Amino acid sequence: MKQIATVIQPIEQPKCFDALVNCLLIDGWQLKTRKIITTTGELSEAFNAPVVRFLYAELERQEPPFPEEVTI
């Protein structure tokens, strides 16, 4: 069974994002997707919707198989 980890951080925090991704890579995760996501924020009183950008990474790893149960 595969495990999936997602890291999402504001674009203003690239060092924190890289540190989180690097920790997962050291722990045996494989990087599948890394990109910048753009979305619109909440409307303000002047009906302006700001553009919000995030750093996004998706990682996977194969869950180790359960050890076989031995009965005597």
Side-chain angles (χ1 to χ4, degrees), residues 9-20 34 55:
Q9 290 289 317
I11 201 160
E12 296 85 18
Q13 299 177 353
K15 289 183 182 181
C16 182
F17 175 79
D18 286 340
L20 291 170
R34 181 180 176 140
L55 297 167

Side-chain angles (χ1 to χ4, degrees), residues 32-65:
K32 294 296 177 184
T33 305
R34 181 180 176 140
K35 60 186 173 182
I36 296 175
I37 297 174
T38 304
T39 186
T40 54
E42 293 184 19
L43 288 174
S44 68
E45 292 177 4
F47 298 105
N48 293 331
V51 174
V52 183
R53 295 173 36 169
F54 293 96
L55 297 167
Y56 172 87
E58 187 174 296
L59 300 96
E60 289 182 354
R61 78 173 170 184
Q62 192 68 27
E63 189 174 278

